[in-house]
Amino acid sequence: QVQLVESGGGLVQPGGSLRLSCQFSGSILEYYAIGWFRQSPGKGREGVATSYNGGKETAYKHSVKDRFTISRDNAKNAVYLQMDGLTVEDTGVYYCAADTLPVNIAPLETFAYDFWGQGTQVTVSS
C-alpha cells in the first residue's frame, strides 16, 4: 500500500512561484513513477509533470515545460514540483500519484497511476 500527501498549495499572484511537495510512504520502490496532475475548474484531471524510470526521465505537459520543474528525493520519500511564472490557467487542485508497475507506459495519463493523494489547492489570482 502506498500513501501520498501533498502540501505547498496556496494563493499566488500571476507571475509568482510555488513549490509543491509530495510525501509518500508505504512500500515505495525506486522504479515507481510519481506524477503531478491537476484538475482545473470545469475540466478533467490532466498530467502536468512526471518523474519515471527510477527518476532518470521526466515528462511535462507542453504548456508548463519551461516553467515547472519536477524533482525527486528517494532518500526523503518525496517528489517536488517547482512552479514558476504561474498564470491563472494554472489554477486547480494538484494531486500527486504513484504508478506501481515496473514500467510506466503513459507518464502523463491518469489511467497509468494506481495510488493518489488528496490534493492541494493552487489559486493564481490578482
Side-chain angles (χ1 to χ4, degrees), residues 4 6 35-50 61 89-98 106-121:
L4 305 108
E6 304 93 337
W36 284 98
F37 296 77
R38 72 183 178 199
Q39 188 157 12
S40 301
K43 297 183 179 180
R45 196 170 297 188
E46 60 180 1
V48 175
T50 298
K61 176 178 170 64
E89 288 75 27
D90 296 316
T91 293
V93 179
Y94 283 69
Y95 301 88
C96 67
L108 293 176
E109 298 296 332
T110 56
F111 71 79
Y113 293 79
D114 44 355
F115 291 94
W116 293 81
Q118 294 299 307
T120 184
Q121 176 71 46

mmCIF file of all heavy atoms in Angstrom, residues 4 6 35-50 61 89-98 106-121:
data_model
loop_
_atom_site.group_PDB
_atom_site.id
_atom_site.type_symbol
_atom_site.label_atom_id
_atom_site.label_comp_id
_atom_site.label_asym_id
_atom_site.label_seq_id
_atom_site.Cartn_x
_atom_site.Cartn_y
_atom_site.Cartn_z
ATOM 1 N N LEU A 4 0.211 8.914 -0.212
ATOM 2 C CA LEU A 4 0.810 10.143 -0.715
ATOM 3 C C LEU A 4 0.096 11.342 -0.112
ATOM 4 O O LEU A 4 -1.139 11.367 -0.057
ATOM 5 C CB LEU A 4 0.718 10.201 -2.247
ATOM 6 C CG LEU A 4 1.313 9.025 -3.013
ATOM 7 C CD1 LEU A 4 0.209 8.185 -3.606
ATOM 8 C CD2 LEU A 4 2.252 9.495 -4.086
ATOM 9 N N GLU A 6 0.105 15.597 -0.324
ATOM 10 C CA GLU A 6 0.589 16.809 -0.975
ATOM 11 C C GLU A 6 0.554 17.994 -0.006
ATOM 12 O O GLU A 6 -0.280 18.045 0.901
ATOM 13 C CB GLU A 6 -0.282 17.164 -2.180
ATOM 14 C CG GLU A 6 -0.419 16.075 -3.221
ATOM 15 C CD GLU A 6 -1.635 15.195 -2.996
ATOM 16 O OE1 GLU A 6 -2.118 15.130 -1.845
ATOM 17 O OE2 GLU A 6 -2.107 14.573 -3.955
ATOM 18 N N GLY A 35 3.888 11.130 -10.358
ATOM 19 C CA GLY A 35 3.470 12.222 -11.223
ATOM 20 C C GLY A 35 2.661 13.272 -10.499
ATOM 21 O O GLY A 35 2.065 13.009 -9.452
ATOM 22 N N TRP A 36 2.645 14.449 -11.079
ATOM 23 C CA TRP A 36 1.797 15.543 -10.622
ATOM 24 C C TRP A 36 0.691 15.750 -11.661
ATOM 25 O O TRP A 36 0.982 15.839 -12.857
ATOM 26 C CB TRP A 36 2.586 16.835 -10.447
ATOM 27 C CG TRP A 36 3.422 16.870 -9.211
ATOM 28 C CD1 TRP A 36 4.756 16.609 -9.110
ATOM 29 C CD2 TRP A 36 2.980 17.190 -7.898
ATOM 30 N NE1 TRP A 36 5.169 16.736 -7.814
ATOM 31 C CE2 TRP A 36 4.092 17.095 -7.036
ATOM 32 C CE3 TRP A 36 1.744 17.535 -7.338
ATOM 33 C CZ2 TRP A 36 4.013 17.344 -5.668
ATOM 34 C CZ3 TRP A 36 1.668 17.790 -5.989
ATOM 35 C CH2 TRP A 36 2.797 17.699 -5.163
ATOM 36 N N PHE A 37 -0.515 15.836 -11.169
ATOM 37 C CA PHE A 37 -1.670 16.063 -12.014
ATOM 38 C C PHE A 37 -2.451 17.240 -11.446
ATOM 39 O O PHE A 37 -2.291 17.592 -10.280
ATOM 40 C CB PHE A 37 -2.567 14.819 -12.038
ATOM 41 C CG PHE A 37 -1.907 13.619 -12.654
ATOM 42 C CD1 PHE A 37 -0.968 12.878 -11.947
ATOM 43 C CD2 PHE A 37 -2.202 13.240 -13.951
ATOM 44 C CE1 PHE A 37 -0.340 11.781 -12.522
ATOM 45 C CE2 PHE A 37 -1.582 12.155 -14.542
ATOM 46 C CZ PHE A 37 -0.651 11.416 -13.821
ATOM 47 N N ARG A 38 -3.289 17.835 -12.264
ATOM 48 C CA ARG A 38 -4.127 18.912 -11.749
ATOM 49 C C ARG A 38 -5.522 18.809 -12.350
ATOM 50 O O ARG A 38 -5.706 18.295 -13.446
ATOM 51 C CB ARG A 38 -3.527 20.280 -12.033
ATOM 52 C CG ARG A 38 -3.584 20.725 -13.484
ATOM 53 C CD ARG A 38 -2.900 22.043 -13.672
ATOM 54 N NE ARG A 38 -2.894 22.469 -15.076
ATOM 55 C CZ ARG A 38 -2.070 23.375 -15.569
ATOM 56 N NH1 ARG A 38 -1.178 23.969 -14.778
ATOM 57 N NH2 ARG A 38 -2.123 23.709 -16.840
ATOM 58 N N GLN A 39 -6.456 19.337 -11.585
ATOM 59 C CA GLN A 39 -7.829 19.417 -12.061
ATOM 60 C C GLN A 39 -8.278 20.853 -11.882
ATOM 61 O O GLN A 39 -8.427 21.328 -10.756
ATOM 62 C CB GLN A 39 -8.735 18.456 -11.290
ATOM 63 C CG GLN A 39 -10.127 18.369 -11.875
ATOM 64 C CD GLN A 39 -10.823 17.081 -11.522
ATOM 65 O OE1 GLN A 39 -10.371 16.311 -10.652
ATOM 66 N NE2 GLN A 39 -11.923 16.807 -12.187
ATOM 67 N N SER A 40 -8.482 21.516 -13.018
ATOM 68 C CA SER A 40 -8.928 22.901 -13.002
ATOM 69 C C SER A 40 -10.445 22.943 -13.011
ATOM 70 O O SER A 40 -11.090 21.971 -13.426
ATOM 71 C CB SER A 40 -8.357 23.630 -14.224
ATOM 72 O OG SER A 40 -6.947 23.571 -14.220
ATOM 73 N N PRO A 41 -11.026 24.033 -12.556
ATOM 74 C CA PRO A 41 -12.490 24.130 -12.513
ATOM 75 C C PRO A 41 -13.130 23.824 -13.861
ATOM 76 O O PRO A 41 -12.743 24.394 -14.881
ATOM 77 C CB PRO A 41 -12.722 25.586 -12.105
ATOM 78 C CG PRO A 41 -11.510 25.956 -11.334
ATOM 79 C CD PRO A 41 -10.374 25.229 -11.998
ATOM 80 N N GLY A 42 -14.055 22.894 -13.880
ATOM 81 C CA GLY A 42 -14.778 22.547 -15.091
ATOM 82 C C GLY A 42 -14.010 21.669 -16.058
ATOM 83 O O GLY A 42 -14.482 21.415 -17.182
ATOM 84 N N LYS A 43 -12.851 21.173 -15.660
ATOM 85 C CA LYS A 43 -12.041 20.352 -16.566
ATOM 86 C C LYS A 43 -11.709 19.020 -15.921
ATOM 87 O O LYS A 43 -11.817 18.841 -14.707
ATOM 88 C CB LYS A 43 -10.750 21.092 -16.919
ATOM 89 C CG LYS A 43 -10.956 22.387 -17.680
ATOM 90 C CD LYS A 43 -9.623 23.012 -18.056
ATOM 91 C CE LYS A 43 -9.814 24.293 -18.833
ATOM 92 N NZ LYS A 43 -8.504 24.907 -19.217
ATOM 93 N N GLY A 44 -11.271 18.106 -16.735
ATOM 94 C CA GLY A 44 -10.843 16.816 -16.230
ATOM 95 C C GLY A 44 -9.437 16.884 -15.663
ATOM 96 O O GLY A 44 -8.723 17.871 -15.826
ATOM 97 N N ARG A 45 -9.054 15.808 -14.997
ATOM 98 C CA ARG A 45 -7.724 15.755 -14.416
ATOM 99 C C ARG A 45 -6.695 15.512 -15.516
ATOM 100 O O ARG A 45 -6.871 14.630 -16.360
ATOM 101 C CB ARG A 45 -7.668 14.642 -13.365
ATOM 102 C CG ARG A 45 -6.489 14.720 -12.435
ATOM 103 C CD ARG A 45 -6.630 13.738 -11.294
ATOM 104 N NE ARG A 45 -7.784 14.041 -10.449
ATOM 105 C CZ ARG A 45 -8.037 13.412 -9.302
ATOM 106 N NH1 ARG A 45 -7.209 12.477 -8.865
ATOM 107 N NH2 ARG A 45 -9.107 13.728 -8.596
ATOM 108 N N GLU A 46 -5.608 16.285 -15.494
ATOM 109 C CA GLU A 46 -4.605 16.193 -16.549
ATOM 110 C C GLU A 46 -3.209 16.069 -15.946
ATOM 111 O O GLU A 46 -2.920 16.596 -14.874
ATOM 112 C CB GLU A 46 -4.656 17.427 -17.451
ATOM 113 C CG GLU A 46 -4.394 18.734 -16.745
ATOM 114 C CD GLU A 46 -4.445 19.938 -17.667
ATOM 115 O OE1 GLU A 46 -4.702 19.776 -18.878
ATOM 116 O OE2 GLU A 46 -4.218 21.066 -17.164
ATOM 117 N N GLY A 47 -2.351 15.388 -16.687
ATOM 118 C CA GLY A 47 -0.973 15.245 -16.247
ATOM 119 C C GLY A 47 -0.189 16.524 -16.449
ATOM 120 O O GLY A 47 -0.313 17.164 -17.489
ATOM 121 N N VAL A 48 0.623 16.882 -15.464
ATOM 122 C CA VAL A 48 1.422 18.098 -15.511
ATOM 123 C C VAL A 48 2.910 17.763 -15.624
ATOM 124 O O VAL A 48 3.605 18.293 -16.484
ATOM 125 C CB VAL A 48 1.169 18.961 -14.257
ATOM 126 C CG1 VAL A 48 2.081 20.169 -14.248
ATOM 127 C CG2 VAL A 48 -0.293 19.400 -14.208
ATOM 128 N N ALA A 49 3.387 16.886 -14.756
ATOM 129 C CA ALA A 49 4.807 16.527 -14.770
ATOM 130 C C ALA A 49 4.971 15.171 -14.107
ATOM 131 O O ALA A 49 4.261 14.854 -13.155
ATOM 132 C CB ALA A 49 5.651 17.574 -14.048
ATOM 133 N N THR A 50 5.932 14.396 -14.595
ATOM 134 C CA THR A 50 6.150 13.056 -14.058
ATOM 135 C C THR A 50 7.634 12.746 -13.983
ATOM 136 O O THR A 50 8.394 13.104 -14.889
ATOM 137 C CB THR A 50 5.467 12.003 -14.941
ATOM 138 O OG1 THR A 50 4.068 12.229 -14.954
ATOM 139 C CG2 THR A 50 5.729 10.603 -14.415
ATOM 140 N N LYS A 61 3.728 18.385 -19.311
ATOM 141 C CA LYS A 61 2.691 18.935 -20.181
ATOM 142 C C LYS A 61 3.319 20.101 -20.936
ATOM 143 O O LYS A 61 4.078 20.887 -20.372
ATOM 144 C CB LYS A 61 1.511 19.421 -19.324
ATOM 145 C CG LYS A 61 0.396 20.093 -20.089
ATOM 146 C CD LYS A 61 -0.732 20.496 -19.153
ATOM 147 C CE LYS A 61 -1.753 21.372 -19.849
ATOM 148 N NZ LYS A 61 -2.430 20.635 -20.939
ATOM 149 N N GLU A 89 -4.358 30.239 -15.594
ATOM 150 C CA GLU A 89 -4.701 28.924 -16.151
ATOM 151 C C GLU A 89 -4.096 27.777 -15.362
ATOM 152 O O GLU A 89 -4.460 26.618 -15.559
ATOM 153 C CB GLU A 89 -4.264 28.826 -17.615
ATOM 154 C CG GLU A 89 -5.094 29.640 -18.604
ATOM 155 C CD GLU A 89 -4.786 31.124 -18.538
ATOM 156 O OE1 GLU A 89 -3.654 31.485 -18.146
ATOM 157 O OE2 GLU A 89 -5.671 31.920 -18.888
ATOM 158 N N ASP A 90 -3.158 28.074 -14.481
ATOM 159 C CA ASP A 90 -2.554 27.035 -13.645
ATOM 160 C C ASP A 90 -3.373 26.754 -12.388
ATOM 161 O O ASP A 90 -3.042 25.860 -11.612
ATOM 162 C CB ASP A 90 -1.131 27.431 -13.232
ATOM 163 C CG ASP A 90 -0.193 27.536 -14.414
ATOM 164 O OD1 ASP A 90 -0.245 26.639 -15.288
ATOM 165 O OD2 ASP A 90 0.598 28.501 -14.463
ATOM 166 N N THR A 91 -4.424 27.506 -12.181
ATOM 167 C CA THR A 91 -5.288 27.302 -11.020
ATOM 168 C C THR A 91 -5.938 25.932 -11.059
ATOM 169 O O THR A 91 -6.401 25.478 -12.105
ATOM 170 C CB THR A 91 -6.381 28.384 -10.972
ATOM 171 O OG1 THR A 91 -5.766 29.652 -10.715
ATOM 172 C CG2 THR A 91 -7.404 28.103 -9.883
ATOM 173 N N GLY A 92 -5.959 25.283 -9.917
ATOM 174 C CA GLY A 92 -6.598 23.983 -9.826
ATOM 175 C C GLY A 92 -6.158 23.231 -8.586
ATOM 176 O O GLY A 92 -5.360 23.731 -7.792
ATOM 177 N N VAL A 93 -6.687 22.047 -8.446
ATOM 178 C CA VAL A 93 -6.248 21.156 -7.375
ATOM 179 C C VAL A 93 -5.146 20.266 -7.944
ATOM 180 O O VAL A 93 -5.338 19.629 -8.977
ATOM 181 C CB VAL A 93 -7.406 20.301 -6.828
ATOM 182 C CG1 VAL A 93 -6.897 19.359 -5.736
ATOM 183 C CG2 VAL A 93 -8.526 21.180 -6.326
ATOM 184 N N TYR A 94 -4.023 20.240 -7.269
ATOM 185 C CA TYR A 94 -2.867 19.480 -7.724
ATOM 186 C C TYR A 94 -2.737 18.203 -6.905
ATOM 187 O O TYR A 94 -2.758 18.236 -5.669
ATOM 188 C CB TYR A 94 -1.599 20.321 -7.611
ATOM 189 C CG TYR A 94 -1.460 21.334 -8.711
ATOM 190 C CD1 TYR A 94 -2.321 22.423 -8.782
ATOM 191 C CD2 TYR A 94 -0.508 21.191 -9.716
ATOM 192 C CE1 TYR A 94 -2.231 23.344 -9.811
ATOM 193 C CE2 TYR A 94 -0.391 22.113 -10.745
ATOM 194 C CZ TYR A 94 -1.262 23.181 -10.791
ATOM 195 O OH TYR A 94 -1.165 24.097 -11.812
ATOM 196 N N TYR A 95 -2.601 17.094 -7.615
ATOM 197 C CA TYR A 95 -2.502 15.775 -6.999
ATOM 198 C C TYR A 95 -1.174 15.133 -7.364
ATOM 199 O O TYR A 95 -0.692 15.302 -8.495
ATOM 200 C CB TYR A 95 -3.604 14.854 -7.511
ATOM 201 C CG TYR A 95 -5.009 15.335 -7.265
ATOM 202 C CD1 TYR A 95 -5.659 16.163 -8.185
ATOM 203 C CD2 TYR A 95 -5.719 14.927 -6.132
ATOM 204 C CE1 TYR A 95 -6.963 16.595 -7.979
ATOM 205 C CE2 TYR A 95 -7.020 15.343 -5.913
ATOM 206 C CZ TYR A 95 -7.626 16.182 -6.836
ATOM 207 O OH TYR A 95 -8.920 16.596 -6.621
ATOM 208 N N CYS A 96 -0.604 14.394 -6.442
ATOM 209 C CA CYS A 96 0.488 13.519 -6.837
ATOM 210 C C CYS A 96 -0.033 12.081 -6.833
ATOM 211 O O CYS A 96 -0.992 11.749 -6.121
ATOM 212 C CB CYS A 96 1.716 13.682 -5.965
ATOM 213 S SG CYS A 96 1.549 13.169 -4.256
ATOM 214 N N ALA A 97 0.589 11.278 -7.658
ATOM 215 C CA ALA A 97 0.128 9.908 -7.854
ATOM 216 C C ALA A 97 1.314 8.991 -8.106
ATOM 217 O O ALA A 97 2.354 9.432 -8.599
ATOM 218 C CB ALA A 97 -0.848 9.842 -9.026
ATOM 219 N N ALA A 98 1.140 7.731 -7.784
ATOM 220 C CA ALA A 98 2.194 6.733 -7.972
ATOM 221 C C ALA A 98 1.716 5.621 -8.895
ATOM 222 O O ALA A 98 0.576 5.158 -8.793
ATOM 223 C CB ALA A 98 2.604 6.150 -6.628
ATOM 224 N N ALA A 106 2.579 5.336 -19.728
ATOM 225 C CA ALA A 106 1.936 6.596 -20.101
ATOM 226 C C ALA A 106 2.176 7.615 -18.994
ATOM 227 O O ALA A 106 1.320 7.803 -18.130
ATOM 228 C CB ALA A 106 0.441 6.392 -20.345
ATOM 229 N N PRO A 107 3.314 8.275 -19.014
ATOM 230 C CA PRO A 107 3.715 9.116 -17.880
ATOM 231 C C PRO A 107 2.730 10.208 -17.501
ATOM 232 O O PRO A 107 2.658 10.578 -16.331
ATOM 233 C CB PRO A 107 5.032 9.725 -18.365
ATOM 234 C CG PRO A 107 5.566 8.748 -19.348
ATOM 235 C CD PRO A 107 4.362 8.188 -20.037
ATOM 236 N N LEU A 108 1.988 10.743 -18.444
ATOM 237 C CA LEU A 108 1.103 11.865 -18.144
ATOM 238 C C LEU A 108 -0.375 11.488 -18.212
ATOM 239 O O LEU A 108 -1.229 12.363 -18.269
ATOM 240 C CB LEU A 108 1.393 13.025 -19.107
ATOM 241 C CG LEU A 108 2.762 13.684 -18.946
ATOM 242 C CD1 LEU A 108 2.976 14.746 -20.021
ATOM 243 C CD2 LEU A 108 2.917 14.292 -17.557
ATOM 244 N N GLU A 109 -0.668 10.205 -18.188
ATOM 245 C CA GLU A 109 -2.062 9.773 -18.279
ATOM 246 C C GLU A 109 -2.546 9.236 -16.936
ATOM 247 O O GLU A 109 -1.884 8.416 -16.309
ATOM 248 C CB GLU A 109 -2.197 8.694 -19.350
ATOM 249 C CG GLU A 109 -1.821 9.161 -20.757
ATOM 250 C CD GLU A 109 -2.737 10.246 -21.287
ATOM 251 O OE1 GLU A 109 -3.924 10.296 -20.865
ATOM 252 O OE2 GLU A 109 -2.272 11.040 -22.136
ATOM 253 N N THR A 110 -3.716 9.673 -16.525
ATOM 254 C CA THR A 110 -4.220 9.289 -15.198
ATOM 255 C C THR A 110 -4.429 7.783 -15.084
ATOM 256 O O THR A 110 -4.244 7.215 -14.001
ATOM 257 C CB THR A 110 -5.543 9.998 -14.893
ATOM 258 O OG1 THR A 110 -6.493 9.715 -15.929
ATOM 259 C CG2 THR A 110 -5.347 11.510 -14.811
ATOM 260 N N PHE A 111 -4.790 7.099 -16.180
ATOM 261 C CA PHE A 111 -5.098 5.666 -16.088
ATOM 262 C C PHE A 111 -3.892 4.834 -15.685
ATOM 263 O O PHE A 111 -4.036 3.704 -15.224
ATOM 264 C CB PHE A 111 -5.699 5.146 -17.397
ATOM 265 C CG PHE A 111 -4.733 5.063 -18.554
ATOM 266 C CD1 PHE A 111 -3.835 4.017 -18.671
ATOM 267 C CD2 PHE A 111 -4.739 6.031 -19.540
ATOM 268 C CE1 PHE A 111 -2.947 3.933 -19.733
ATOM 269 C CE2 PHE A 111 -3.864 5.960 -20.609
ATOM 270 C CZ PHE A 111 -2.961 4.910 -20.693
ATOM 271 N N ALA A 112 -2.686 5.388 -15.855
ATOM 272 C CA ALA A 112 -1.479 4.619 -15.562
ATOM 273 C C ALA A 112 -1.117 4.624 -14.087
ATOM 274 O O ALA A 112 -0.203 3.925 -13.678
ATOM 275 C CB ALA A 112 -0.309 5.160 -16.384
ATOM 276 N N TYR A 113 -1.841 5.370 -13.265
ATOM 277 C CA TYR A 113 -1.479 5.560 -11.863
ATOM 278 C C TYR A 113 -2.518 4.922 -10.954
ATOM 279 O O TYR A 113 -3.728 5.061 -11.181
ATOM 280 C CB TYR A 113 -1.320 7.048 -11.562
ATOM 281 C CG TYR A 113 -0.133 7.629 -12.279
ATOM 282 C CD1 TYR A 113 -0.223 7.961 -13.629
ATOM 283 C CD2 TYR A 113 1.080 7.800 -11.640
ATOM 284 C CE1 TYR A 113 0.882 8.450 -14.317
ATOM 285 C CE2 TYR A 113 2.179 8.303 -12.315
ATOM 286 C CZ TYR A 113 2.077 8.615 -13.656
ATOM 287 O OH TYR A 113 3.173 9.097 -14.318
ATOM 288 N N ASP A 114 -2.065 4.238 -9.924
ATOM 289 C CA ASP A 114 -2.991 3.493 -9.079
ATOM 290 C C ASP A 114 -3.108 3.990 -7.647
ATOM 291 O O ASP A 114 -3.977 3.518 -6.919
ATOM 292 C CB ASP A 114 -2.654 1.991 -9.114
ATOM 293 C CG ASP A 114 -1.175 1.695 -9.010
ATOM 294 O OD1 ASP A 114 -0.349 2.633 -8.995
ATOM 295 O OD2 ASP A 114 -0.816 0.509 -8.974
ATOM 296 N N PHE A 115 -2.239 4.902 -7.227
ATOM 297 C CA PHE A 115 -2.380 5.484 -5.891
ATOM 298 C C PHE A 115 -2.331 7.007 -6.010
ATOM 299 O O PHE A 115 -1.481 7.548 -6.717
ATOM 300 C CB PHE A 115 -1.280 4.991 -4.946
ATOM 301 C CG PHE A 115 -1.407 3.543 -4.592
ATOM 302 C CD1 PHE A 115 -0.727 2.569 -5.302
ATOM 303 C CD2 PHE A 115 -2.233 3.146 -3.555
ATOM 304 C CE1 PHE A 115 -0.849 1.227 -4.991
ATOM 305 C CE2 PHE A 115 -2.366 1.806 -3.223
ATOM 306 C CZ PHE A 115 -1.674 0.851 -3.948
ATOM 307 N N TRP A 116 -3.232 7.648 -5.265
ATOM 308 C CA TRP A 116 -3.395 9.098 -5.377
ATOM 309 C C TRP A 116 -3.438 9.756 -4.007
ATOM 310 O O TRP A 116 -3.932 9.179 -3.040
ATOM 311 C CB TRP A 116 -4.710 9.419 -6.114
ATOM 312 C CG TRP A 116 -4.694 9.009 -7.545
ATOM 313 C CD1 TRP A 116 -4.925 7.747 -8.038
ATOM 314 C CD2 TRP A 116 -4.409 9.835 -8.661
ATOM 315 N NE1 TRP A 116 -4.798 7.761 -9.392
ATOM 316 C CE2 TRP A 116 -4.484 9.027 -9.813
ATOM 317 C CE3 TRP A 116 -4.098 11.187 -8.809
ATOM 318 C CZ2 TRP A 116 -4.263 9.527 -11.094
ATOM 319 C CZ3 TRP A 116 -3.882 11.688 -10.077
ATOM 320 C CH2 TRP A 116 -3.965 10.864 -11.196
ATOM 321 N N GLY A 117 -2.911 10.983 -3.970
ATOM 322 C CA GLY A 117 -3.070 11.785 -2.764
ATOM 323 C C GLY A 117 -4.398 12.513 -2.782
ATOM 324 O O GLY A 117 -5.191 12.366 -3.713
ATOM 325 N N GLN A 118 -4.629 13.314 -1.753
ATOM 326 C CA GLN A 118 -5.888 14.031 -1.599
ATOM 327 C C GLN A 118 -5.906 15.368 -2.328
ATOM 328 O O GLN A 118 -6.971 15.958 -2.522
ATOM 329 C CB GLN A 118 -6.192 14.252 -0.114
ATOM 330 C CG GLN A 118 -6.457 12.962 0.642
ATOM 331 C CD GLN A 118 -7.659 12.222 0.079
ATOM 332 O OE1 GLN A 118 -8.739 12.775 -0.058
ATOM 333 N NE2 GLN A 118 -7.463 10.956 -0.273
ATOM 334 N N GLY A 119 -4.755 15.861 -2.722
ATOM 335 C CA GLY A 119 -4.690 17.101 -3.486
ATOM 336 C C GLY A 119 -4.415 18.326 -2.640
ATOM 337 O O GLY A 119 -4.672 18.345 -1.430
ATOM 338 N N THR A 120 -3.857 19.340 -3.297
ATOM 339 C CA THR A 120 -3.617 20.631 -2.659
ATOM 340 C C THR A 120 -4.046 21.728 -3.638
ATOM 341 O O THR A 120 -3.756 21.638 -4.828
ATOM 342 C CB THR A 120 -2.143 20.789 -2.237
ATOM 343 O OG1 THR A 120 -1.963 22.021 -1.532
ATOM 344 C CG2 THR A 120 -1.189 20.762 -3.429
ATOM 345 N N GLN A 121 -4.743 22.729 -3.121
ATOM 346 C CA GLN A 121 -5.306 23.763 -3.984
ATOM 347 C C GLN A 121 -4.254 24.817 -4.332
ATOM 348 O O GLN A 121 -3.557 25.345 -3.452
ATOM 349 C CB GLN A 121 -6.487 24.447 -3.279
ATOM 350 C CG GLN A 121 -7.096 25.612 -4.049
ATOM 351 C CD GLN A 121 -7.856 25.178 -5.276
ATOM 352 O OE1 GLN A 121 -8.654 24.228 -5.228
ATOM 353 N NE2 GLN A 121 -7.649 25.869 -6.386
#
